[in-house]
Every structure is written in structure tokens, then in C-alpha cells.
Amino acid sequence: MNHPPFHLTEPEQRLSSVVFASPHSARTYPADFLEQSILDPVTIRSSEDAFVHELIESAPEFGAPLLVAGVPRAYVDLNRSPDELDPALILGAVRRGQNPRVASGLGVIPRVVSNGRAIYAGKLTMGEVRSRIDRYWRPYHNAVQRLLESAYLTFGQAILVDCHSMPHEAMDGAARSRGRAPDIVLGDRFGAAADGDIVDRIEAAFAAAGLRVARNAPFAGAYVAQAYGRPSRQQHAVQIEIDRALYMNERQICPNADFEAFRTLMRGVIADITAIGQDRIPLAAE
């Protein structure tokens, strides 16, 4: 089966400079990958941002495109640099400095899923790794770049909202130190990836829906925010992490009883975020 590198849903009319993306929610696993893996069908899904694309599927209704990965994170991680190659997994890969993500098994081709559980019994060839990057990573990122360029040409700015989910247990430390854990963590690389005004308004959209929001701790944004956040060029990138316990059973990887209510809540949040990108008159109309 030939898996597409991404799924793009365009609005009937582009009304906003915002682009929504979900790089980690794909759940269609290539058959040869499942044969290679030593994990069971549920465990292999544990690093998915499961159902995130369904939570944000209304974006095109409000004039913003939605880009969703075509293959799962365990197969190729689209929020990593193509140079983040893990020597412990890939034959011929050379260690380049100290990269904690690669060292922990979370390079562009992950060695582990959540809780450090190994995906493979042995190593992968460099040829196989390059094939995955060329077939899936590069087309996805080419699509991101095209969407941002189109937004900038039309509106004079581009805002990438990169949507993820976080394990509920990841917030345990925050709950101990702050009293109540956040529902949402916004990552703008401490201001390097997006203008503060844009991040303020995204935070306000979630807060207006009754959600608790934190910034940059414990997730400040990874490769996508770093690569595409160029506020001095009017190109902004904000990573959004949503507590999985709000809408799913993490152990069984299935929607919980609150899923539909939370999806409806997210529809309102998305409407508010796309409005941020409607502030500028399209350049074509000037």
C-alpha cells in the first residue's frame, strides 16, 4: 500500500493567514513497518498525537488550510530535522555533537515510542532511512513551506499553528509546582518563533474556552517551530500541546466520553485563532 505523505484540506476561500498542521496524528502504519517492529499494535501507537487532526478538522470552515501527516510519528518524525539520525538505530549514522532528542531515541526515525520502549530488534540501513525521509518528510515540509509562502503573499504574514498532544502525566510536575496543571502548553521558543502579540491572542482563545494555558514549559517547540518561526519576516510558528486526558483514554488510545464536547469547544478556539490571521487586508485587494 502506498501511503500519501500528507493530507491537505484547503478552505473554499482562503480568509486567514493561519495554517493549521498536525504532524503526529497519522494512524495508518505501513505493513512492512509493522512486520519490522517488535511492538504490539497498541503499544506502537503510544507516541501518536491520536485524534488531534479530528479536533482541528474545522479549520477550513473558517478559511484556514489544514495539513495532516500521512504516516505515523513512529515511522518518521516530521518534527525533527532530517539530519537528526540516531547511530544506535541506523547503520552508518555518525553522532553529531550532543543532541538529547537523538540520544533518547527520538530522532527523525525514532528508535523508541513513549516510555522508551524499543520499536525494533535490530538496526536499519541508511538506504531505508533516506527512503522514508525522501518519500514522506520532504513532501510534507515542502507543503508547509508552500502554504506559508501563499499566506504571506496574500496577507503579508503567515502563522503556523502546529498542533500536538501531551501525555497527562507530563503535567504532573507542573501540577505539583503550580497547584493546577495546564490543559494547554504553547511553545514559541521563548519568543524566538512568534511575535508576543500573536501568542497572547492564541492564549486568549484557549483561556476564553475555559482552558488553563502555560507557555514553553515543558514544551517550548521543536524542529517545526525552530525552522519556520521567523517573526522578523512576518512568519510565525506556535506549537500547541493539548492534554490528552481532556478527550481520550490514553491507555486504550480511544476517544473518551468528553471527546465530542471537547471537539466542539475546539471549534470555537479555532474560529478565534483564524480571526487573528484575518486582521490584515489581503495584499491583492490593496
Side-chain angles (χ1 to χ4, degrees):
M1 182 177 178
N2 188 22
H3 298 266
F6 58 83
H7 303 280
L8 174 62
T9 306
E10 292 268 22
E12 290 186 9
Q13 182 180 1
R14 187 78 176 265
L15 300 174
S16 176
S17 64
V18 177
V19 174
F20 285 87
S22 177
H24 287 163
S25 62
R27 56 186 182 225
T28 303
Y29 288 78
D32 59 344
F33 172 63
L34 293 175
E35 291 173 3
Q36 281 180 305
S37 175
I38 59 174
L39 296 176
D40 65 78
V42 174
T43 304
I44 204 168
R45 297 188 60 198
S46 60
S47 59
E48 277 180 31
D49 288 339
F51 313 112
V52 163
H53 61 288
E54 296 181 38
L55 297 177
I56 60 174
E57 65 183 4
S58 63
E61 296 178 36
F62 301 103
L66 171 61
L67 182 69
V68 179
V71 290
R73 178 186 193 182
Y75 188 69
V76 57
D77 192 335
L78 302 173
N79 199 21
R80 298 289 182 263
S81 164
D83 297 327
E84 291 186 86
L85 302 176
D86 185 353
L89 174 66
I90 303 163
L91 293 167
V94 178
R95 189 173 302 281
R96 300 183 179 186
Q98 295 297 321
N99 185 317
R101 293 192 295 250
V102 173
S104 63
L106 297 174
V108 65
I109 306 297
R111 172 165 41 92
V112 301
V113 292
S114 63
N115 296 318
R117 291 168 290 192
I119 297 173
Y120 309 93
K123 289 194 171 188
L124 303 180
T125 66
M126 184 64 76
E128 179 173 353
V129 167
R130 293 297 182 196
S131 175
R132 292 188 196 182
I133 291 171
D134 290 343
R135 290 180 62 191
Y136 299 106
W137 192 99
R138 296 193 191 284
Y140 179 88
H141 282 278
N142 288 342
V144 173
Q145 192 59 53
R146 286 196 304 270
L147 290 167
L148 294 177
E149 288 172 358
S150 175
Y152 180 79
L153 289 172
T154 304
F155 299 95
Q157 72 172 4
I159 304 170
L160 177 61
V161 178
D162 201 49
C163 299
H164 300 259
S165 66
M166 56 189 178
H168 183 70
E169 65 182 17
M171 295 293 97
D172 286 349
R176 287 192 295 270
S177 61
R178 301 173 189 167
R180 297 185 72 189
D183 302 308
I184 306 291
V185 176
L186 305 181
D188 65 355
R189 298 189 67 82
F190 300 94
D195 275 352
D197 178 61
I198 287 172
V199 185
D200 287 346
R201 293 184 63 184
I202 292 175
E203 178 173 347
F206 283 104
L211 297 168
R212 298 183 299 276
V213 185
R215 294 195 193 182
N216 294 309
F219 306 106
Y223 174 79
V224 167
Q226 182 178 12
Y228 296 104
R230 297 289 184 270
S232 64
R233 303 179 194 170
Q234 296 304 317
Q235 181 171 292
H236 312 273
V238 180
Q239 177 177 287
I240 294 177
E241 297 277 357
I242 305 168
D243 183 351
R244 293 174 185 166
L246 292 170
Y247 64 91
M248 67 177 281
N249 180 312
E250 294 184 71
R251 187 171 58 83
Q252 297 177 359
I253 314 181
C254 64
N256 65 20
D258 298 322
F259 183 82
E260 290 301 333
F262 189 73
R263 179 157 57 176
T264 299
L265 179 148
M266 283 294 296
R267 191 175 189 276
V269 172
I270 289 163
D272 288 347
I273 292 175
T274 53
I276 299 168
Q278 296 170 4
D279 288 349
R280 299 189 177 207
I281 298 172
L283 298 182
E286 292 181 348

